[in-house]
Amino acid sequence: MRENRIEELSSGPESGRRRILVVGSGAGFSGEVMDYSVHLAGRLNYEIVALNVIPTAWDAKVSEQRADAAADALRKKASRNAVPFEHVVKFGSLGECVEELNQTIKRIELVITDSGVNGEEIGKEVTVPLFCVDSKTFNPQGGRDMADHQNPTNKKALAVKVAGLGALSAAIYATVFMNADTVMHYCTKGGLYASLPILTVFAVSFVHGAFASNLWSLLGIEAMKKESLRQTEQKVAEKRKVARKKPRAYAYVNPFHKI
Amino acid sequence: MHDAAQGVVNFIDLNTASVIFLFLVGFIGGLVSGFIGSGGAFVLTPGMMSLGVPGAVAVASNMCHKFPKAMVGAYKRFKYGQVDIKLGLILAASAGVGVQIGIKLQQYILKQWGAAGSDLYVSLSFVAVLVIVGGFVFRDAVNISKAGGVEKAPAIAVMLQKINLPPMMYFKTANIRISLWFTIPVGLATGMLAATIAVGGFIGVPGMIYVIGASGLVSSATELVIAFVMGFAGSVNWAMHGMVDIRLTLIILGGSLLGVQLGAIGTTYVKEHMIKVVMATIMLIVAVSRAFAIPKYLNQLNLTNVDASTVSILEKVSFLTMCGALAIGALIILSSMWKASRAASMASTMDESYVEG
């Protein structure tokens, strides 16, 4: 059961590529680490090797499943950006596992970890540049691709807001239309009475505008995050598509690829 | 003066169908103007008139809904960092002058050739401006999408930005340094078009893109500032004459405030050249619709003798084409938003699965 698992690493068609080793903390990868490493790999034309090191004291089966699930997210992110991806699960101490992997799969150019991983432990064993992505600073506004990751309490507060503003907006409309004759009489008097329709539309635009804004938020339609991220993803994917047109035999005939 | 106006003007009775129509057109118009900076007015004014609203009241009520809508849209897009307020205010100032020139010009034409001549002038300037500018924007949009979404700085704007004619102005959000003198023609043309066909944005936005050199995103957002300033001034003027039918305004506003926010959100979903695609599509279809209206005015001027029934059919076709222009614009916006959000939600479910895992 407690066997170290390496998915077709050295035999894969892309094995001649240089690699980024992404080390997750225990059984997971933080969003920041995933984004950073996938984009970096895309730009550098590297391959990603994701490593989960599970301490021997943990329940092997459960941990492995969790590691697989976590790696799946990273795998999908990588495939969206056309970055080749491998996943490795190892048991034991962090430093030893990284060193072992470094020996087996070669061409690991750099290691990316998140701040939950003890980098020193890796540094003691391996002489590969180690980058630590700070994943503790979670920005609630810009931390995700879409803003519809509100937690349920936020959503509840939003619903209350929508209901309140909606009622207020409806009240304004009801007042105007139930007294349409009076309202029209004064609003069309002209002169200084001109302020009446102007003030009314201002009031409506504040109340009804806020209602509309919150309504779209409640429905999960909100502004998307930075354009730049998507553009990078797109460009990288395009670039990789071009790279993939190379004859596949390239990797097999490369006489150095296993050295 | 306003008392006289009240005596003449009849305010219509509203029924359910007309309320729904106005609300829907308001919503779609709002969606389009939140996205490209203007739009909706060209359907709303004739639409209200077809419901029996007198022309002046239709224009006044439309304008009175336009400025709060533009304000809400501008605020929303300001939060996304797309609005250049300085550029908007400077253009709005010259556009204000442009409106006066446009009105004077129209009065002159009215005096010279009568109502039909004035209508013909409006239609012809409509068609000319829309075809030329719309065609240009469309060609640019096609080129950009062929190039895979990469936009090049427009040659004219680059040239004008190099000319050092004081006072030079720097616009921070648009990230442009250009002489004040080159912004003035854009503002004047925007104002003149607004006075003539009620949609200044059709020249304001392309003007900002191709003459001043702002991006499509910043231009369409900044147009909302211009629309707010001009719409506000115009509305106060109309309200002083007692021409605003607040009921019509509020119904349209009810829909358009929902739409304008959706349109503003939409700009963050799509690739930037989509703004140009939507704008050009709408402009070209509207141009066709105006062309349908020309035989009527030519008849009135006794220049042609087209059958009366044909003219009335053409008039209906013209109005429906305009509604179609707005609807197609809205469809493009919504479908591209839907596509983008589907792609993004796929990404976010993956993130989610990580969080849960």
Side-chain angles (χ1 to χ4, degrees), chain A residues 29-30 76-77 80 145 149 173 184 188-191 194 202 205 208-209 213 216 222-224 227 230 234, chain B residues 2 6 11 71 76 80 239-240 242 245 250 254 258 261 265 268-271 347-348 350-352 354 357:
Chain A
F29 299 95
S30 74
K76 280 176 184 157
K77 243 184 201 327
R80 270 212 310 283
D145 285 338
H149 287 269
Y173 273 88
M184 283 299 282
T188 53
K189 266 191 154 182
F202 264 118
S205 63
H208 189 63
S213 170
W216 293 125
E222 284 204 80
M224 195 149 352
E227 273 262 311
R230 293 191 301 131
Q234 222 173 36
Chain B
H2 47 263
Q6 211 178 0
F11 294 101
M71 178 181 75
K76 192 103 181 162
Y80 304 151
M240 301 255 276
D245 187 335
L250 286 186
L258 283 164
Q261 309 228 13
I265 294 170
T268 67
Y269 278 54
V270 299
K271 283 181 216 132
S348 66
M350 281 166 210
D351 287 350
E352 203 91 299
Y354 152 72

Side-chain angles (χ1 to χ4, degrees), chain A residues 1-3 5 27 54-69 89 91:
Chain A
M1 206 55 189
R2 287 195 177 240
E3 272 172 43
R5 194 158 52 84
I54 298 169
T56 27
W58 288 17
D59 182 338
K61 206 171 175 187
V62 176
S63 308
E64 208 178 324
Q65 275 171 1
R66 288 182 64 189
D68 280 342
V89 181
F91 296 90

Side-chain angles (χ1 to χ4, degrees), chain B residues 135-193:
Chain B
F136 189 73
V137 178
F138 194 73
R139 211 190 57 180
D140 186 39
V142 169
N143 285 343
I144 293 167
S145 52
K146 269 188 194 158
V150 185
E151 292 192 43
K152 274 193 287 182
I156 308 168
V158 172
M159 198 185 75
L160 290 179
Q161 283 171 20
K162 280 184 192 149
I163 301 173
N164 196 1
L165 193 68
M168 293 296 282
M169 306 214 100
Y170 177 66
F171 301 105
K172 203 172 156 204
T173 311
N175 195 18
I176 292 165
R177 190 168 175 274
I178 195 166
S179 167
L180 174 70
W181 298 105
F182 297 127
T183 68
I184 290 176
V186 176
L188 285 180
T190 308
M192 280 178 70
L193 197 73

Side-chain angles (χ1 to χ4, degrees), chain B residues 64-135:
Chain B
C64 195
H65 112 276
K66 173 176 137 175
F67 83 86
K69 171 185 78 176
M71 178 181 75
V72 169
Y75 172 69
K76 192 103 181 162
R77 294 188 65 171
F78 178 74
K79 284 202 293 189
Y80 304 151
Q82 301 170 347
V83 176
D84 197 312
I85 296 181
K86 189 174 160 191
L87 180 62
L89 292 179
I90 284 175
L91 284 178
S94 47
V97 179
V99 169
Q100 298 307 322
I101 297 175
I103 291 172
K104 288 271 158 6
L105 186 66
Q106 229 167 334
Q107 280 169 351
Y108 174 75
I109 290 167
L110 196 66
K111 223 190 268 167
Q112 292 285 313
W113 292 291
S118 155
D119 284 343
L120 184 67
Y121 157 72
V122 169
S123 271
L124 282 178
S125 50
F126 228 139
V127 174
V129 169
L130 294 180
V131 168
I132 296 168
V133 182

Side-chain angles (χ1 to χ4, degrees), chain B residues 98-343:
Chain B
V99 169
Q100 298 307 322
I101 297 175
I103 291 172
K104 288 271 158 6
L105 186 66
Q106 229 167 334
Q107 280 169 351
Y108 174 75
I109 290 167
L110 196 66
K111 223 190 268 167
Q112 292 285 313
W113 292 291
S118 155
D119 284 343
L120 184 67
Y121 157 72
V122 169
S123 271
L124 282 178
S125 50
F126 228 139
V127 174
V129 169
L130 294 180
V131 168
I132 296 168
V133 182
F136 189 73
V137 178
F138 194 73
R139 211 190 57 180
D140 186 39
V142 169
N143 285 343
I144 293 167
S145 52
K146 269 188 194 158
V150 185
E151 292 192 43
K152 274 193 287 182
I156 308 168
V158 172
M159 198 185 75
L160 290 179
Q161 283 171 20
K162 280 184 192 149
I163 301 173
N164 196 1
L165 193 68
M168 293 296 282
M169 306 214 100
Y170 177 66
F171 301 105
K172 203 172 156 204
T173 311
N175 195 18
I176 292 165
R177 190 168 175 274
I178 195 166
S179 167
L180 174 70
W181 298 105
F182 297 127
T183 68
I184 290 176
V186 176
L188 285 180
T190 308
M192 280 178 70
L193 197 73
T196 321
I197 65 171
V199 193
F202 281 162
I203 210 152
V205 178
M208 271 186 268
I209 297 175
Y210 300 109
V211 179
I212 297 178
S215 70
L217 208 56
V218 171
S219 302
S220 58
T222 304
E223 174 62 31
L224 289 168
V225 176
I226 305 176
F228 167 70
V229 175
M230 296 207 311
F232 181 68
S235 300
V236 170
N237 188 25
W238 282 115
M240 301 255 276
H241 291 85
M243 291 291 190
V244 175
D245 187 335
I246 191 76
R247 300 166 307 159
L248 297 176
T249 303
L250 286 186
I251 295 165
I252 304 167
L253 201 56
S256 73
L257 287 184
L258 283 164
V260 77
Q261 309 228 13
L262 191 61
I265 294 170
T267 58
T268 67
Y269 278 54
V270 299
K271 283 181 216 132
E272 212 177 314
H273 71 270
M274 280 310 291
I275 291 174
K276 290 179 184 167
V277 172
V278 172
M279 177 160 233
T281 311
I282 292 179
M283 285 172 83
L284 292 176
I285 302 176
V286 171
V288 172
S289 96
R290 290 317 295 177
F292 284 130
I294 287 177
K296 179 183 154 194
Y297 308 132
L298 288 176
N299 258 10
Q300 285 171 351
L301 287 172
N302 293 324
L303 292 172
T304 55
N305 198 8
V306 184
D307 198 32
S309 62
T310 322
V311 168
S312 97
I313 291 172
L314 281 177
E315 244 188 333
K316 285 198 182 88
V317 171
S318 162
F319 180 65
L320 288 176
T321 319
M322 271 201 287
C323 295
L326 203 58
I328 289 171
L331 270 180
I332 302 176
I333 297 170
L334 289 177
S335 68
S336 48
M337 266 179 87
W338 186 71
K339 271 186 218 151
S341 81
R342 221 174 44 150

Side-chain angles (χ1 to χ4, degrees), chain A residues 85-136:
Chain A
F85 176 85
E86 309 289 351
H87 180 221
V88 181
V89 181
K90 276 181 169 285
F91 296 90
S93 90
L94 189 61
E96 280 167 18
C97 292
V98 172
E99 171 56 13
E100 204 184 314
L101 203 62
N102 195 22
Q103 298 293 330
T104 18
I105 62 173
K106 310 281 182 199
R107 305 210 74 173
I108 290 178
E109 301 288 332
L110 53 104
V111 180
I112 295 174
T113 67
D114 73 24
S115 45
V117 175
N118 186 357
E120 274 181 29
E121 211 180 313
I122 303 174
K124 264 188 248 164
E125 306 277 345
V126 220
T127 48
V128 177
L130 180 74
F131 296 93
C132 183
V133 177
D134 190 7
S135 58
K136 294 289 185 284

